[in-house]
Amino acid sequence: MRAWSVVVPAKRLALAKTRLTPLPAGLAGPPEAAHDRLVLALLADTVTAALASPAVAGVLVVTDDPAAAGTVTRLGARTVPDEPDRGLNPALAHGARVTGAAAVAALSSDLPALRPEELTAALAAAQVSARCFVADAQGTGTTLLTAVGTDLSPAFGAGSARRHAAGGAVPLAGGWPGLQRDVDTPGDLEAALALGVGPHTAALLGRAARPPG
């Protein structure tokens, strides 16, 4: 199995997940602090799942946020500052270059229902082409973009699935609901909770974590 370097972008907490309101009931503390804890929990479950995949050699998080960097470092990921500081796609391109790896995968930071076996299967499927992607649950965005032996050329953002396909990336489809369920809105979070989320998001929201495996 090919060993992949996974790059995850993490915005400064104050700028992340601005549409994730109203916050779930039961989150203690001021709204700003509750928001930050939720964003960090989503990130932590994403990184935890990625690190647990046998196809992943390492996870590099591109971030300028100290709390995000501390969280993922404790989990076993590496971090690098967002030196370009020009938005999501330049950050991902920077992270991909820093890894120096031949096989790189850009992964959304807000996939609390991601299971390691889903990522493993998607990365195995991604060996069909130099560049591949997995669309989000709505079919318009992107949660995973892969590149082997070529530039990552990320084009994340609204309508990114169409842009990635137009740029030559091959769309991948499989039974990967957790990989496709990114969380931007309260409705997205409820859908992720229905799938079963990882331990960090579950603990924060007082839910049972999904069974391992």
Side-chain angles (χ1 to χ4, degrees):
M1 181 179 295
R2 188 184 300 276
W4 293 81
S5 290
V6 172
V7 179
V8 178
K11 291 181 180 179
R12 297 180 184 89
L13 294 179
L15 302 177
K17 299 297 152 197
T18 56
R19 291 190 289 150
L20 197 51
T21 55
L23 294 171
L27 278 177
E32 295 82 1
H35 165 270
D36 290 357
R37 290 199 304 275
L38 180 55
V39 172
L40 288 174
L42 302 178
L43 173 64
D45 280 331
T46 302
V47 170
T48 296
L51 287 168
S53 167
V56 174
V59 174
L60 178 69
V61 178
V62 182
T63 188
D64 283 334
D65 190 275
T71 294
V72 300
T73 299
R74 287 190 292 272
L75 295 172
R78 296 169 53 213
T79 64
V80 64
D82 182 6
E83 291 180 356
D85 198 19
R86 297 196 305 270
L88 176 59
N89 292 308
L92 287 170
H94 170 60
R97 288 191 297 269
V98 169
T99 68
V104 179
L107 184 67
S108 296
S109 63
D110 53 355
L111 301 169
L114 176 64
R115 296 174 182 268
E117 58 268 27
E118 291 179 325
L119 183 58
T120 301
L123 292 174
Q127 299 186 73
V128 300
S129 181
R131 293 178 67 246
C132 298
F133 73 95
V134 174
D136 63 10
Q138 289 75 31
T140 58
T142 303
T143 60
L144 179 73
L145 175 68
T146 66
V148 179
T150 190
D151 289 340
L152 185 64
S153 300
F156 284 81
S160 63
R162 175 183 52 80
R163 288 192 299 277
H164 285 138
V170 174
L172 303 175
W176 311 319
L179 175 57
Q180 294 181 276
R181 176 49 68 189
D182 55 346
V183 172
D184 290 318
T185 67
D188 295 337
L189 181 58
E190 285 300 320
L193 290 168
L195 291 173
V197 295
H200 301 90
T201 305
L204 182 66
L205 300 180
R207 303 291 186 97
R210 63 168 182 260

